[in-house]
Amino acid sequence: MGMGQSNKGSISVGVVGLSSDEGQAIVYLYKTATGFPISPEKASSSAKAAISDKKAVLVFSGLEYGTYAVSVIHDRNKNE
């Protein structure tokens, strides 16, 4: 890497086909397989977004380059 270059980037997650606009979408980002996909407390990052037209978009910034996995929850009643 030359000067001024970074080994960090962003991941955009687009969620489509949600059952309704109720609640929020929560995306959990996993750097390792540990806990994926059902242990959100083991996720390396998470983000929440409002749902519009049964879609949500979330952006994770400042991430080290690498391979990630995501899990998505449609939290209809916003109780996480």
Side-chain angles (χ1 to χ4, degrees), residues 47-58:
K48 301 172 190 172
I51 301 167
S52 178
D53 196 23
K54 299 182 181 178
K55 301 174 190 168
V57 177
L58 302 98

Side-chain angles (χ1 to χ4, degrees), residues 14-68:
V15 182
V16 298
L18 293 163
S19 61
S20 71
D21 288 353
E22 291 181 70
Q24 62 189 350
I26 305 174
V27 174
Y28 297 98
L29 193 67
Y30 294 83
K31 180 93 171 129
T32 68
T34 304
F36 177 79
I38 59 172
S39 296
E41 68 278 2
K42 303 217 175 175
S44 57
S45 299
S46 66
K48 301 172 190 172
I51 301 167
S52 178
D53 196 23
K54 299 182 181 178
K55 301 174 190 168
V57 177
L58 302 98
V59 179
F60 295 88
S61 300
L63 299 173
E64 293 181 14
Y65 288 168
T67 301
Y68 292 85

